[in-house]
Amino acid sequence: MYFQWYPGHMTKAKRAMQEDIRLIDVIIELVDARIPVSSKNPDIDIMAKNKPRILLLNKSDMADPAQLEAWVAYYEKKGYLALAVNSKKKNEIKKIHELIQKACREKKERDKKRGIINRPVRAMIVGIPNVGKSTFINTFAGRSCTKTGNKPGVTRGKQWIRISKQVELLDTPGILWPKFEDQTVGQHLAFIGSIKDELISGVELAVDLIVFLTQNYPGTLETHYQVSETQDPAYILEQLAKNRGCIQKAQEPDYEKAAFLMLDDFRNGRLGRITIEHPCPDV
Ligand code: G4P
């Protein structure tokens, strides 16, 4: 299957983000914990060089716990402050405050030497569409936050959300685009539902997912759909269709319906905590 992507005003958005990055002290980058490579845009590495970086492996509630641990260790080794999070959970936020302070320790010390005390750290959220940026901002900012309003000359009309006395957040997240040159990236983004279903073949994608699951998470399909995993993937999809009542008028299996049923179960975590991309030394 060929995955195509129409990035739209990519250059313009990139330039705007570069402007924003100049105003901030720390970048909080969100990736999807199930595909930490494909959901990470390498442009940010260039745009954000010299800035402290926090990497949040979001949607961790749907990712394989052992792989999460391995990914956090992997990114820490690469110099990030990395953390697995579930953006829907308010109780995870405290750890992020600690990380922000840790990331900005040097800056705070520099400020102190220059007589600047208690200036809030300015942070910005970045990530590709659908990784959970808005959800994270809502949970992180909570109800108690106040918009700080425009400060002409200082913020150039940007809106900041005051999270606490110590942190201000740029209220519009920086949107990056996935790297689509690599077809595996497209496939992985389609697995998690980050590509419009109209642009993909559900059946082909479901067959790809069946191959992945039988190899990497054996027993999952058998448990959830009572299918035999020793069969070939197309036959497994047929069995799944029959077992779940995805049948067309002429009693033929409805492959398309069965494919999206399975994809939907996977995307919503109903097949268990599964990670598609596993860290390896040369990623
Ligand atoms: P974006 O701004 O980066 O584009 O992403 P957004 O916050 O809109 O989140 C995309 C989807 O991911 C939303 O689901 C959101 O609820 C879900 N999500 C975000 N963070 C997490 C997380 O840590 N864990 C889980 N399980 N889900 C998360 P949706 O179905 O599109 O919307 P809704 O039905 O939740 O409103």
Side-chain angles (χ1 to χ4, degrees), residues 30 32 34 57-62 85-89 92 125-139 173-175 194 267-269:
L30 262 72
D32 190 302
R34 296 165 297 173
L57 293 145
N58 193 38
K59 307 196 186 184
S60 61
D61 52 306
M62 294 197 279
V85 292
N86 172 355
S87 281
K88 291 181 161 184
K89 288 259 153 60
E92 312 230 335
I125 309 297
V126 301
I128 67 165
N130 207 37
V131 283
K133 296 179 294 302
S134 315
T135 309
F136 176 78
I137 290 175
N138 284 340
T139 308
I175 299 170
S194 284
R267 290 168 180 171
N268 288 295

Side-chain angles (χ1 to χ4, degrees), residues 143-204:
R143 274 209 205 127
S144 57
C145 73
T146 51
K147 290 209 170 177
T148 56
N150 289 346
K151 290 180 194 162
V154 183
T155 61
R156 285 176 243 163
K158 305 241 178 263
Q159 287 284 335
W160 296 88
I161 306 167
R162 177 159 287 209
I163 306 286
S164 67
K165 274 188 186 162
Q166 288 170 330
V167 182
E168 284 181 359
L169 191 69
L170 191 60
D171 87 336
T172 41
I175 299 170
L176 295 163
W177 279 263
K179 283 281 166 192
F180 264 81
E181 291 86 358
D182 181 347
Q183 289 293 294
T184 310
V185 171
Q187 186 200 49
H188 291 182
L189 287 163
F191 279 161
I192 65 159
S194 284
I195 295 180
K196 280 197 187 117
D197 283 337
E198 302 88 78
L199 298 176
I200 59 168
S201 154
V203 172
E204 276 185 51

Side-chain angles (χ1 to χ4, degrees), residues 37-65:
V37 176
S38 296
S39 60
K40 191 173 187 314
N41 181 315
D43 287 344
I44 192 72
D45 294 337
I46 300 155
M47 289 197 272
K49 63 173 186 287
N50 307 326
K51 295 277 180 187
R53 307 267 294 277
I54 292 173
L55 187 105
L56 300 181
L57 293 145
N58 193 38
K59 307 196 186 184
S60 61
D61 52 306
M62 294 197 279
D64 179 338

